[in-house]
Amino acid sequence: LIRHIFLGLAREKLNEYDASETAYESAVKIKDSDKTAWQGLIALYESQGRKRLGDYETAVERLCNIFADTYACPLHLLKDDD
């Protein structure tokens, strides 16, 4: 997993965007809930501007869902019993 993420970052720095995306997507296929892989995809899409806006939105939404699932607080814990 980590190897794919580092490869994605390295390829992005070399402006090899397709190879970078492939590496990050490989990481996501290994572990769909990996925050770092999704953050890498988001940064990659963001660096390419409007032409990847749809992919950017999808990746941001997925990362938000991962964070929501990770840090979800059951509603009954928020209720004041007094």
Side-chain angles (χ1 to χ4, degrees):
L1 174 68
I2 195 78
R3 149 180 97 112
H4 294 288
I5 294 170
F6 280 121
L7 181 59
L9 179 61
R11 296 290 187 155
E12 181 182 353
K13 297 300 179 193
L14 293 171
N15 297 323
E16 298 175 2
Y17 300 124
D18 290 338
S20 176
E21 182 177 26
T22 299
Y24 285 127
E25 286 177 345
S26 294
V28 166
K29 285 179 184 173
I30 293 169
K31 185 178 177 189
D32 184 58
S33 63
D34 188 80
K35 295 174 198 76
T36 306
W38 285 106
Q39 288 169 332
L41 277 170
I42 289 167
L44 173 67
Y45 296 145
E46 191 174 64
S47 72
Q48 296 178 59
R50 290 190 165 279
K51 69 180 183 176
R52 299 306 299 269
L53 186 58
D55 294 319
Y56 173 82
E57 290 174 347
T58 300
V60 167
E61 184 176 335
R62 179 64 186 121
L63 183 61
C64 287
N65 287 330
I66 292 168
F67 276 109
D69 292 344
T70 301
Y71 300 107
C73 178
L75 292 177
H76 71 277
L77 295 177
L78 299 176
K79 290 183 181 176
D80 187 11
D81 290 335
D82 295 328

